[in-house]
Amino acid sequence: LDFIEITLVVVPLVAPPLLMAGVDPIWLGVLMAVNLQTSFLTPPFGFALFYLRGVAPREVKTTDMYKGVIAFIGLQLSALVIVGLVPPLVNYLPNRVNLTAETAPPPRNPQLQRCLEDYVLAEIEAAGPAIGGTVAAARRLELSYLPEDLAEGLTESFDAAETALRLLPEAAEAGRAKDAAAEAFRPVLRAVR
């Protein structure tokens, strides 16, 4: 199919049911993007082939171009199969980039990381009452019209937000204790280095 038909006809028909079924939206988006990239190379509507035809010399036949892209179409289809069969491969980088993800890497610049954490902590402490009020207001919403798993997930999120706000002072105290211990540990660290 032409990419216009894929984006305007297929995606609106296929994406909503798949997302409602719990398919990861990042994986689905990458899968559709790889599929669209493949559509640019496949005859007869491959726009990349039309662009190539426009800049190629007259001696190069269109059928020669079609034969030349077969290997690239094979690579694209292989990538499509890999993306379809191994969703964690697609989600690896977004999960690693997210600071709060379970698989978040250790910071490359611990001082910058600490600075960012201190800034976020200060912002959350300053807006704590407003956040708590918003969570309390959201908890009062009627969730019975939602599917059971979504309503349960929202309730768990409300609980987690309230717990996090309640534990912020303890986290700040633990941070101060760690900083105090770090000062005492610094000479040992220098000796080890």
Side-chain angles (χ1 to χ4, degrees):
L1 289 177
D2 181 13
F3 83 97
I4 295 173
E5 284 83 9
I6 291 174
T7 55
L8 297 180
V9 177
V10 176
V11 171
L13 291 175
V14 173
L18 289 175
L19 293 175
M20 294 278 293
V23 172
D24 184 21
I26 295 174
W27 173 76
L28 184 61
V30 170
L31 191 68
M32 289 182 181
V34 173
N35 191 19
L36 284 172
Q37 182 61 36
T38 306
S39 76
F40 282 116
L41 290 176
T42 53
F45 298 114
F47 280 104
L49 299 175
F50 290 144
Y51 303 145
L52 184 59
R53 175 74 272 163
V55 298
R58 292 183 188 268
E59 297 84 33
V60 178
K61 297 179 183 175
T62 305
T63 55
D64 293 335
M65 285 190 285
Y66 287 175
K67 290 175 188 174
V69 298
I70 290 174
F72 296 102
I73 293 172
L75 288 172
Q76 286 291 120
L77 292 176
S78 301
L80 193 62
V81 168
I82 291 170
V83 167
L85 294 178
V86 190
L89 186 66
V90 172
N91 295 329
Y92 176 78
L93 189 58
N95 286 341
R96 296 284 291 181
V97 170
N98 187 353
L99 180 65
T100 60
E102 293 176 10
T103 57
R108 288 182 176 248
N109 185 342
Q111 291 176 337
L112 177 61
Q113 179 78 19
R114 181 63 190 267
C115 180
L116 289 172
E117 288 173 1
D118 289 345
Y119 174 77
V120 169
L121 181 62
E123 290 292 314
I124 291 174
E125 285 176 346
I131 294 171
T134 303
V135 170
R139 189 181 284 283
R140 290 190 298 270
L141 293 174
E142 179 62 38
L143 302 179
S144 61
Y145 64 91
L146 290 175
E148 187 176 320
D149 58 336
L150 289 177
E152 187 176 300
L154 275 174
T155 304
E156 290 173 2
S157 297
F158 298 151
D159 293 341
E162 289 174 344
T163 302
L165 286 174
R166 191 174 58 250
L167 293 176
L168 274 178
E170 291 179 34
E173 182 59 36
R176 285 189 288 276
K178 180 187 70 85
D179 290 342
E183 288 301 321
F185 181 70
R186 194 174 312 270
V188 176
L189 179 63
R190 285 193 184 111
V192 169
R193 282 186 177 175

